[in-house]
Amino acid sequence: MKWVAEALQYLEKQVGARPRVAVVLGSGLGAFAEELSGSVDIPYAAIPHWPCSTAIGHAGKLVFGRLGETDVAVMAGRVHLYEGYSQQQVVFGVRVLARFGVRVFVFTNAAGGINPSYGRGGLVLISDHINLQGSNPLVGPNDDSLGPRFPDMSEAYSAGLRKLAKEVAGELGIPLGEGVYAALLGPSYETPAEIRYLRAIGADLVGMSTAPETIAANHLGARALAISCVTNMAAGILPQKITHTEVLETGEMVRGTLIRFLKALLPRIEV
Ligand code: HPA
């Protein structure tokens, strides 16, 4: 974990504050970073070993700042397995930030809606995931200084944080669904047959991220909360094709609501 240590050392030189909460922003959802006051931007490219995202709609910078009285770190842009990055690279930022002091990770992502009760543009709290990416960030020799060899995943998405998220959404009048996220490798969207399969095994949402980071966060003993933006209904649910443009446009559409939600939620997270 020499690479984590080197990235950490760099951050320690650049940033005075030690946020306990971090937000990871998914496709088309990067605008939240602009809401922080007194912010310091650090492009991923400047941080030793930090993988840079190649996906359109991902900004690729770490932002430190404050929301009211709360120090927050924001990862605007993440890398995905489908870009060719390894599981270790995908969770690199989570590991560095955890070492930096982050104890709660709030992940956001764009996802396809499988549950027919969802609609395009809806926000859904992830209650659990099904990892179908065919790999796991903890494969390989375990670094006991990070966490245990066989971490428990029975409450991968903190029940306490989900309860708080529902309370906050309720107060703001923001409809918030809850469901199981199936993580696939991508980058092709699913076939209708795959979506029928995912529905049969209990998935409500499908996407190409978040599961590795959540596994890594749990391994590190940090708590995770994840919110999907349903950018499109999954393949075969509606008689239309899925395009990345639709995914990004929906992200834009929901942006204001997501920002309002995160601004109210983050200061209320107790760490
Ligand atoms: N499938 C997988 N990932 C996604 C989708 C989808 O339909 N929409 C946004 N990310």
Side-chain angles (χ1 to χ4, degrees), residues 241-256:
K241 295 197 176 199
I242 302 166
T243 65
H244 190 51
T245 310
E246 178 189 12
V247 169
L248 294 181
E249 277 173 8
T250 317
E252 289 271 305
M253 213 168 86
V254 178
R255 181 166 118 163

Side-chain angles (χ1 to χ4, degrees), residues 111-122 124 189-190 192 195 199 204-206 229-243 246-247 250:
I114 298 174
N115 187 321
S117 76
Y118 301 159
R120 182 180 172 206
V124 179
Y189 291 117
E190 301 68 36
I195 294 301
R199 193 170 167 185
D204 299 296
L205 299 154
V206 59
C229 164
V230 178
T231 52
N232 56 280
M233 289 312 283
I237 306 256
L238 301 176
Q240 63 191 48
K241 295 197 176 199
I242 302 166
T243 65
E246 178 189 12
V247 169
T250 317

Side-chain angles (χ1 to χ4, degrees), residues 1 17 19 43 73 88-89 104 159 163 165 174 200 222 229 235 242 248-249:
M1 284 296 133
Q88 276 69 29
Q89 286 174 304
V104 170
K163 181 166 173 277
I174 297 173
C229 164
I242 302 166
L248 294 181
E249 277 173 8

